[in-house]
Amino acid sequence: MIITEFQGGGAECKFNLKGFTLAEVLITLGVIGIVAALTLPTIMQHYKKQEATARLKKFVSTMEQAIMLSELDNGPAGDWEKQDIVWEDRDENKVDSAAQNGLVNKFYVRYLKKYLKTVKVDEVDTTDPDRMKIYFADGSTTTFYNGSCIDITYDVNGDKKPNDRAKDQFSFLLCSSKYIDAGHPVSKKAFGTFDEFETREEAKSQCKNRTAYCTNLLQFDNWEFKDDYPW
């Protein structure tokens, strides 16, 4: 506390000026820093979840719209021509990467290229030569693979890490009617998740065991990452 006195003309004036000491300021800043360090990761995680949710919703909407537009020109998606897997060694479960990549590119060019807005397309994914890779304007990517269906892996943050299933990569399928009729996926739709579960609890249980099924759980939750999301 600083007290300054002025005397003059028979009057006395006193001003009490109060302030913080340097130690008090440093302690306050230290407390603020600790609180920020504890809360910032939670805030960032919440933001990342919101961003991932928004991008997943956008991707699903984009794919559904592209398929719908393509169906006007090419007929029902369930009837689109898709070649079987080309095996280099079936007993060793080894595919012919070059042939597989050629088939998935051919499918994409014929049925989807015209209807998807992209910023870049790699005919060969540098991290997986069996796949092709598509880049979107928001920084997300998707890869296509010629499996029993067209296997689609959507990555909400593109090439950024962690690049792990169920964390930033999510699985979808684009299937022919022949494969749907065989019972996979049960949803009976050409484009969708790997399977359809009766309850959210079943989807959550399967997500814990097989990360491809986490897309189903997110679909139950309107693509939001709930507090009990396993990954």
Side-chain angles (χ1 to χ4, degrees):
M1 176 184 297
I2 301 174
I3 302 177
T4 305
E5 298 183 358
F6 295 95
Q7 294 181 349
E12 182 179 282
C13 299
K14 291 185 178 182
F15 297 93
N16 294 335
L17 303 178
K18 298 181 179 180
F20 294 104
T21 65
L22 179 60
E24 289 172 329
V25 172
L26 292 176
I27 291 172
T28 302
L29 291 175
V31 171
I32 293 173
I34 292 172
V35 172
L38 293 174
T39 59
L40 189 58
T42 301
I43 293 172
M44 290 299 297
Q45 185 67 17
H46 178 69
Y47 169 76
K48 288 180 179 180
K49 286 181 179 181
Q50 287 186 319
E51 184 178 41
T53 291
R55 291 187 177 184
L56 273 166
K57 288 181 177 180
K58 182 179 178 181
F59 172 71
V60 172
S61 175
T62 297
M63 284 297 300
E64 289 177 343
Q65 183 177 23
I67 291 169
M68 179 183 67
L69 292 173
S70 182
E71 286 181 323
L72 296 176
D73 296 331
N74 300 298
D79 296 334
W80 293 353
E81 294 182 16
K82 193 201 81 65
Q83 302 299 314
D84 293 333
I85 300 173
V86 181
W87 297 98
E88 183 176 308
D89 189 330
R90 185 67 179 90
D91 293 334
E92 295 293 328
N93 201 37
K94 184 178 180 180
V95 300
D96 184 329
S97 294
Q100 283 284 92
N101 182 262
L103 290 176
V104 77
N105 273 280
K106 182 179 179 181
F107 182 93
Y108 168 76
V109 169
R110 180 174 179 182
Y111 294 113
L112 293 171
K113 180 180 180 179
K114 178 180 175 182
Y115 312 98
L116 282 176
K117 293 182 179 179
T118 65
V119 295
K120 178 184 175 183
V121 176
D122 288 342
E123 292 186 357
V124 180
D125 180 4
T126 55
T127 61
D128 189 343
D130 303 339
R131 295 173 176 265
M132 63 173 298
K133 192 169 191 176
I134 298 168
Y135 294 79
F136 297 107
D138 62 4
S140 63
T141 62
T142 188
T143 61
F144 287 4
Y145 172 75
N146 183 62
S148 298
C149 298
I150 296 296
D151 292 358
I152 301 171
T153 300
Y154 178 66
D155 194 318
V156 295
N157 60 0
D159 293 333
K160 295 179 181 178
K161 294 181 179 180
N163 293 326
D164 288 338
R165 297 275 181 163
K167 294 182 179 179
D168 60 345
Q169 296 181 340
F170 304 94
S171 303
F172 296 86
L173 294 175
L174 178 54
C175 296
S176 67
S177 297
K178 177 182 177 181
Y179 197 58
I180 293 172
D181 290 341
H184 186 83
V186 184
S187 62
K188 305 298 181 184
K189 295 192 302 182
F191 173 71
T193 52
F194 265 58
D195 267 305
E196 191 172 81
F197 300 109
E198 294 292 331
T199 66
R200 181 184 184 277
E201 285 304 312
E202 184 183 3
K204 181 177 143 183
S205 175
Q206 292 297 325
C207 170
K208 292 178 180 179
N209 298 321
R210 186 180 178 190
T211 53
Y213 288 131
C214 292
T215 313
N216 301 75
L217 175 59
L218 290 169
Q219 189 173 31
F220 263 101
D221 294 332
N222 194 29
W223 307 109
E224 295 179 1
F225 295 80
K226 302 294 186 181
D227 291 340
D228 62 347
Y229 181 73
W231 302 99

